[in-house]
Amino acid sequence: MSNFEQFHLDFYQSNYTIDDREEGYNSYGSNENLHGSRKSQTEDPPPTSAFAPSEMLLSSQSYTGQILQPTYSPSTHLGYADGFDEEPPLLEELGINFEHIWQKTLTVLNPMKPADGSIMNETDLTGPMVFCLALGATLLLAGKVHFGYVYGMSAIGCLAMHALLNLMSVPGVSHGCVASVLGYCLLPMVILSSSAVVFSLQGIPGTLLALFIIGWCSLSASKIFSSALAMEGQQLLIAYPCALLYGLFALLTVF
């Protein structure tokens, strides 16, 4: 028995006490708490400011309205107002300038007035279309339905004059400029067709009036072409084909 008791005492003999056990338990609990806090920090979602774009944050902060009811922003409203104020008028965007139309009309009505070449270089077809319609309407009032003849001869005459002027002038001319000048110079022919509504032109007075109108139209057109294309001394050469073209319109009006 003495040996067994001695063995028992030797086997269970150690320096471990209950206080050491409690201290180890407390340290283990603190390690678990530290591990748990680290895990919670890793599992928590990152803040939105770290990964969200700055534009989204600014937009979310600046927007204070409700759904489908945006707030009134005076800066954007003023920006749109300034943009609309800076836009040109609709007629100017369409190329319709009443001041230039009036100046061209006065130039045609007064053959002795010097023509402004810069204005005549513009491809303004508003006046020519109006004068062609007026010529067809006055012919219709006289009992002559010649709208097709008016537009057909106008198109063929513009093409022929364009080819001729490009051969005669150094800078050249565009189709729009030729059509604009010939169309504006058709205004005296409208006066002739209007007089045909009142009385008959088939006679000596009517023939003389038709010759006068042809000379008026051709003189105005040749003056404008010579000024716009800097063709000094060639006005009579330009007036001859113009007189042939306007002579066709006079034949429609008289007969």
Side-chain angles (χ1 to χ4, degrees):
M1 289 296 294
S2 60
N3 293 330
F4 180 76
E5 292 177 356
Q6 184 67 28
F7 174 77
H8 178 73
L9 293 174
D10 293 339
F11 182 78
Y12 289 100
Q13 187 177 3
S14 65
N15 295 326
Y16 181 78
T17 59
I18 296 177
D19 296 334
D20 296 335
R21 181 180 179 181
E22 292 178 355
E23 184 179 358
Y25 178 78
N26 293 331
S27 62
Y28 176 76
S30 62
N31 290 333
E32 281 189 348
N33 292 332
L34 180 61
H35 178 70
S37 62
R38 290 179 179 177
K39 185 176 181 181
S40 64
Q41 290 178 0
T42 56
E43 291 179 355
D44 287 339
T48 56
S49 61
F51 294 96
S54 59
E55 293 81 1
M56 294 177 63
L57 294 177
L58 291 175
S59 62
S60 62
Q61 291 176 1
S62 61
Y63 182 78
T64 57
Q66 298 178 357
I67 298 176
L68 301 179
Q69 295 181 358
T71 56
Y72 174 76
S73 180
S75 61
T76 56
H77 180 73
L78 292 176
Y80 279 113
D82 295 339
F84 287 130
D85 292 338
E86 293 176 357
E87 288 186 356
L90 179 60
L91 293 178
E92 186 176 349
E93 290 185 354
L94 295 176
I96 301 174
N97 193 335
F98 289 105
E99 183 180 357
H100 289 182
I101 293 173
W102 179 246
Q103 291 179 3
K104 293 177 182 179
T105 304
L106 291 179
T107 303
V108 173
L109 292 176
N110 188 6
M112 302 304 172
K113 179 183 177 181
D116 189 0
S118 61
I119 296 178
M120 291 303 170
N121 282 329
E122 297 179 358
T123 57
D124 176 26
L125 298 180
T126 305
M129 292 296 295
V130 172
F131 295 154
C132 286
L133 288 174
L135 179 60
T138 52
L139 290 175
L140 183 62
L141 292 176
K144 302 173 183 178
V145 186
H146 293 329
F147 284 97
Y149 291 107
V150 171
Y151 287 110
M153 288 191 300
S154 299
I156 296 173
C158 289
L159 293 176
M161 286 298 298
H162 176 263
L164 182 62
L165 291 174
N166 281 330
L167 293 174
M168 295 176 63
S169 63
V170 176
V173 66
S174 62
H175 291 89
C177 181
V178 173
S180 178
V181 174
L182 293 179
Y184 273 104
C185 294
L186 198 65
L187 178 58
M189 197 61 60
V190 177
I191 300 174
L192 179 64
S193 61
S194 300
S195 61
V197 179
V198 180
F199 56 90
S200 177
L201 297 177
Q202 295 182 4
I204 296 176
T207 304
L208 294 177
L209 181 59
L211 292 175
F212 174 74
I213 294 297
I214 292 171
W216 188 356
C217 295
S218 59
L219 181 62
S220 299
S222 61
K223 176 191 65 176
I224 295 171
F225 281 129
S226 61
S227 299
L229 301 176
M231 300 173 63
E232 298 179 359
Q234 301 181 12
Q235 184 174 355
L236 293 178
L237 295 177
I238 303 173
Y240 176 70
C242 293
L244 294 179
L245 175 62
Y246 291 114
L248 296 177
F249 291 106
L251 290 176
L252 287 178
T253 305
V254 173
F255 300 102

